[in-house]
């Protein structure tokens, strides 16, 4: 829409579209720089996919890491990023991310609400690469009592990190609890969990962890800064002036069209096209088109399409933050992260054969799954595994719900041959695969795919085993769980420069328009540096965009 004389119903300096981590960090920065700022979101709740995530933040040399002696040389960080991005990302964008990330975290640390900790031991996803770190660089927010949000508490998007009876679990807690049947750390974690349940019955706290804690803490910072957040406000169109500069948006709010002006700029932080089936069919590879996404339901590519209407270039549209997943009979997507590290288990294709390292980083696993056409795959484990480790939110020794069997998501059989028949794979092939794997387990070395060689593989493995990720599959009954090529959100989006400005297909800048998070083409390229390498860049480029706007 081009109109040099448009009259606005509401006008601010800086308009942020989307209330996830990237949008919130941008608004916090803009407010700190003295800009009149507004966030709008089409959802009924705020937080976007950040709120339903694990909440990890991958920002090397963040103050939290420096304080713990976990800082790095800039050169090592850049080497690592150069290796994983394979030359697909411009040096100035990578430089901006590495250099400005710590500055963002210094700003956030000024608030008493932002309390973070290092998830020590949660390895970078490729610690074997030059610059990778086996102890990891991921930081998270400490648990937060959301009662402090007051009237805003009821509008916060929920996530799955809260257990029964008020139990709250951080990613570190889950790492330990997964070994409750195997290690003293696991047993200690179970006692801590019991104490949390008991204390909550008295204190009646509303504790949140992970992405929900991050969003809650950032919302508190925004409240202190007086930044308004309008929910149920859907952007429908960009408003540009006669020079092609973005000066605001049209939005639907309370059944009315609202013209919102932005004197200095608009930031698109609306997520990817996770739940836009038409765009999935257009852009994603054939075996990844099915909508098995754990991203926020509101992520339908709104920001990407709005930018394209103005001639914006896009990139990485055929990729996603892939995640092997179980599709719950009731429609929920259950990501498989720790489960793929269970020692007495393999993942096989329709031929009954392994096709990659089951315990590898989830994006890499699904890349291999998609490229080989191994969709669906089957997760095969024995009763020993079922009784020792949690799987798909089902605790050790607890039965899988009958609905999983009724829907064909899970099959159970007394013998491996019978199991093969149930899932339609060649029995002799499956038996040969298991026999070969069991030999690797006895020797402690996966000679086919190197499972357990990486510190990343080992993080969720069983430390009591010779190889934390290998054990013999021998004890019936046996289980096969259907493994889909799911995702946490799409990775492609609008092409941006080092200041988060959106770039046209001809290489020119769309003045006044910025993008971050999954609305923009990922600074990680086709890879994933470590836990939080989605949220971290989203927050950093939101910060960069706000600073660029403030400098105008």
């Amino acid at each position: 829409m081009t109109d040099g004389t448009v009259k606005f119903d509401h006008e601010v300096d800086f308009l942020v579209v989307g209330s996830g981590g990237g949008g919130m960090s941008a608004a916090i920065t803009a407010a700190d720089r003295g800009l009149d700022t507004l966030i709008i979101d089409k959802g009924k709740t705020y937080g976007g996919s950040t709120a339903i995530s694990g909440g990890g933040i991958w920002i090397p040399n963040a103050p939290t890491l420096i304080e713990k002696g976990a800082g790095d040389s800039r050169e090592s960080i850049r080497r690592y990023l150069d290796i994983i991005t394979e030359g697909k990302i411009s040096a100035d964008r990578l430089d901006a991310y590495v250099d400005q990330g710590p500055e963002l975290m210094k700003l956030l640390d000024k608030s008493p609400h932002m309390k973070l900790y290092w998830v020590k031991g949660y390895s970078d996803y490729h610690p074997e690469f030059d610059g990778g770190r086996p102890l990891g660089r991921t930081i998270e927010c400490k648990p937060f009592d959301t009662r402090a949000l007051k009237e805003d508490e009821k509008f916060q998007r929920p996530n799955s990190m809260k257990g029964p009876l008020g139990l709250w679990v951080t990613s570190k807690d889950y790492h330990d609890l997964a070994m409750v049947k195997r290690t003293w750390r696991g047993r200690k974690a179970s006692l801590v969990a019991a104490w949390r349940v008991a204390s909550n019955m008295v204190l009646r706290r509303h504790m949140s962890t992970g992405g929900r804690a991050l969003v809650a803490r950032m919302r508190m910072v925004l409240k202190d800064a007086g930044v308004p957040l309008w929910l149920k406000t859907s952007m429908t169109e960009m408003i540009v002036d006669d020079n092609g500069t973005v000066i605001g948006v049209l939005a639907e709010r309370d059944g009315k069209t609202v013209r919102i002006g932005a004197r200095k700029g608009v930031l698109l932080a609306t997520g990817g096209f996770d739940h836009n089936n038409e765009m999935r069919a257009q852009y994603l590879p054939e075996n990844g088109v099915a909508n098995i996404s754990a991203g926020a339901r509101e992520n339908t590519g709104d920001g990407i399409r709005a930018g394209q209407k103005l001639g914006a270039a896009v990139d990485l549209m055929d990729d996603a933050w892939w995640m092997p997943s179980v599709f719950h009979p009731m429609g929920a997507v259950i990501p498989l992260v720790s489960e793929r590290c269970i020692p007495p288990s393999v993942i096989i294709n329709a031929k009954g054969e392994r096709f990659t390292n089951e315990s590898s980083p989830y994006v890499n696993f699904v890349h291999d799954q998609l490229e080989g056409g191994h969709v669906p795959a089957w997760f095969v484990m024995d009763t020993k595994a079922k009784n020792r480790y949690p799987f798909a939110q089902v605790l050790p020794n607890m039965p899988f719900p009958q609905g999983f069997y009724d829907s064909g998501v899970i099959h159970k059989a007394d013998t491996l041959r019978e199991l093969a028949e149930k899932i339609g794979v060649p029995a002799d092939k499956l038996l040969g695969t298991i026999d070969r794997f069991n030999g690797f387990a006895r020797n402690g070395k996966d000679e086919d795919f190197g499972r357990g060689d990486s510190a990343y593989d080992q993080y969720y493995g069983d430390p009591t085993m010779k190889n934390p990720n290998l054990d013999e599959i021998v004890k019936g009954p046996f289980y096969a769980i259907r493994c889909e090529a799911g995702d946490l959100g799409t990775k492609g989006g609008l092409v941006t420069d080092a200041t988060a400005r959106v770039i046209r297909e001809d290489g020119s800048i769309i003045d006044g328009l910025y993008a971050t998070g999954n609305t923009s083409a990922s600074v990680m390229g086709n890879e994933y540096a470590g836990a939080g390498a989605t949220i971290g860049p989203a927050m950093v480029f939101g910060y960069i965009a706000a600073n660029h706007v403030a400098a105008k």
Side-chain angles (χ1 to χ4, degrees):
M1 177 179 179
T2 302
D3 188 346
T5 60
V6 64
K7 293 183 179 179
F8 295 111
D9 302 299
H10 189 84
E11 194 169 6
V12 294
D13 292 329
F14 186 45
L15 176 64
V16 177
V17 187
S19 64
M24 283 190 163
S25 72
I28 290 170
T29 306
D32 182 74
R33 304 301 187 252
L35 299 181
D36 181 16
T37 304
L38 168 67
I39 304 175
I40 64 173
D41 194 298
K42 73 177 183 180
K44 296 178 181 179
T45 56
Y46 59 86
S49 290
T50 301
I52 54 179
S53 74
I57 305 170
W58 198 87
I59 295 180
N61 284 339
T64 302
L65 297 174
I66 299 296
E67 290 169 6
K68 296 295 184 181
D72 294 288
S73 70
R74 184 183 186 281
E75 292 73 20
S76 69
I77 300 164
R78 284 294 276 109
R79 281 199 303 272
Y80 182 57
L81 291 174
D82 281 341
I83 292 170
I84 68 170
T85 57
E86 299 178 317
K88 298 175 183 177
I89 306 300
S90 64
D92 58 348
R93 284 189 76 205
L94 291 173
D95 288 339
Y97 174 49
V98 171
D99 295 336
Q100 295 302 309
E103 299 305 311
L104 161 66
M105 300 314 295
K106 288 176 185 176
L107 171 62
L108 294 179
D109 282 348
K110 290 180 180 179
S111 170
H113 303 299
M114 295 302 298
K115 297 186 183 300
L116 300 135
Y117 71 98
W118 175 30
V119 190
K120 184 178 180 180
Y122 197 170
S123 170
D124 284 348
Y125 286 178
H126 297 285
E128 65 279 5
F129 291 171
D130 191 8
R133 293 291 179 264
L135 291 180
R137 298 172 167 115
T138 300
I139 57 178
E140 289 183 10
C141 280
K142 293 182 178 179
F144 182 74
D145 188 344
T146 57
R147 291 179 301 177
L149 289 166
K150 297 182 179 178
E151 69 277 4
D152 282 332
E153 183 182 22
K154 63 183 177 183
F155 298 114
Q156 189 183 14
R157 185 183 299 274
N159 69 14
S160 60
M161 298 295 284
K162 184 177 180 180
L165 302 175
L167 172 64
W168 73 91
V169 180
T170 67
S171 63
K172 176 63 167 61
D173 295 331
Y174 183 81
H175 167 267
D176 294 340
L177 281 169
M179 293 294 121
V180 65
K181 302 292 291 291
R182 306 293 291 162
T183 69
W184 70 268
R185 287 184 183 276
R187 290 185 284 275
K188 179 181 177 182
S190 69
L191 294 175
V192 171
W195 175 85
R196 288 176 179 172
V197 169
S199 64
N200 258 18
M201 294 177 69
V202 176
L203 300 175
R204 300 187 183 279
R205 292 172 296 188
H206 299 171
M207 299 303 294
S208 63
T209 59
R212 197 164 190 261
L214 171 59
V215 166
R217 289 183 178 278
M218 294 180 78
R219 184 70 186 107
M220 291 296 293
V221 180
L222 288 167
K223 285 163 71 73
D224 285 354
V227 176
L229 194 167
W230 293 359
L231 296 174
K232 294 188 287 186
T233 304
S234 302
M235 176 189 69
T236 57
E237 192 174 350
M238 309 299 298
I239 302 175
V240 300
D241 66 14
D242 294 331
N243 297 317
T245 299
V246 173
I247 59 173
V249 306
L250 288 180
E252 292 294 324
R253 188 177 192 225
D254 297 328
K256 299 178 181 179
T257 298
V258 181
R259 296 173 177 83
I260 306 173
R263 289 181 286 266
K264 290 179 175 289
V266 173
L267 173 70
L268 298 176
T270 59
F273 56 95
D274 322 355
H275 298 289
N276 184 319
N277 291 336
E278 181 180 338
M279 291 182 73
R280 292 184 73 96
Q282 178 181 356
Y283 293 111
L284 295 180
E286 179 181 357
N287 289 314
V289 166
N291 187 349
I292 304 173
S293 178
R297 299 302 305 181
E298 291 83 4
N299 293 350
T300 54
D302 299 354
I304 297 171
R305 288 180 298 172
Q308 286 179 303
K309 287 181 181 179
L310 300 182
V314 294
D315 195 16
L316 300 174
M317 296 292 282
D318 60 347
D319 208 356
W321 301 98
W322 300 110
M323 172 64 75
S325 303
V326 171
F327 197 52
H328 191 283
M330 298 300 291
V333 175
I334 305 174
L336 299 179
V337 181
S338 65
E339 290 88 347
R340 292 180 298 109
C341 300
I342 291 174
S345 69
V346 293
I347 298 179
I348 59 167
N349 58 20
K351 297 178 181 179
E353 300 170 338
R354 296 174 69 207
F355 54 88
T356 192
N357 170 10
E358 293 88 345
S359 303
S360 63
Y362 30 92
V363 163
N364 301 101
F365 178 93
V366 179
H367 277 157
D368 290 343
Q369 188 179 11
L370 293 174
E371 289 168 11
H374 310 302
V375 181
W378 291 97
F379 188 110
V380 176
M381 64 181 179
D382 67 2
T383 289
K384 180 172 52 177
K386 178 72 184 71
N387 291 341
R388 285 180 177 176
Y389 314 104
F391 186 96
Q393 302 177 1
V394 177
L395 297 176
N397 284 324
M398 297 298 292
F400 288 119
Q402 185 59 40
F404 281 97
Y405 296 106
D406 295 341
S407 63
V409 172
I410 296 180
H411 295 269
K412 179 181 178 181
D414 290 331
T415 67
L416 286 169
R417 183 171 294 279
E418 181 185 355
L419 187 70
E421 293 172 356
K422 286 190 173 183
I423 61 176
V425 305
D428 289 342
K429 278 286 188 181
L430 176 58
L431 289 169
T433 294
I434 299 298
D435 184 62
R436 181 170 175 80
F437 178 82
N438 286 347
F440 296 158
R442 288 189 294 271
N443 296 328
K445 179 69 175 177
D446 177 7
E447 297 176 8
D448 287 342
F449 300 107
R451 179 175 172 182
D453 291 350
S454 171
Y456 173 80
D457 298 5
Q458 297 170 19
Y459 181 70
Y460 281 117
D462 185 338
T464 70
M465 308 302 300
K466 183 177 182 180
N467 180 320
N469 304 104
L470 303 180
D471 190 15
E472 294 182 83
I473 303 170
V474 292
K475 183 176 177 59
F478 301 92
Y479 299 84
I481 301 95
R482 185 177 168 116
C483 181
E484 310 286 357
D487 66 75
L488 302 175
T490 51
K491 181 175 279 197
L494 304 176
V495 175
T496 56
D497 68 4
T499 59
R501 294 179 297 177
V502 177
I503 301 174
R504 292 188 180 91
E505 291 182 348
D506 64 7
S508 62
I509 299 294
I510 301 179
D511 288 334
L513 186 62
Y514 301 78
T516 192
N518 291 349
T519 310
S520 61
S522 172
V523 75
M524 291 290 153
N526 298 112
E527 260 290 357
Y528 214 144
T534 311
I535 295 174
M539 292 173 60
V540 173
F541 283 100
Y543 168 82
I544 290 172
N547 278 328
H548 191 268
V549 167
K552 287 185 177 181

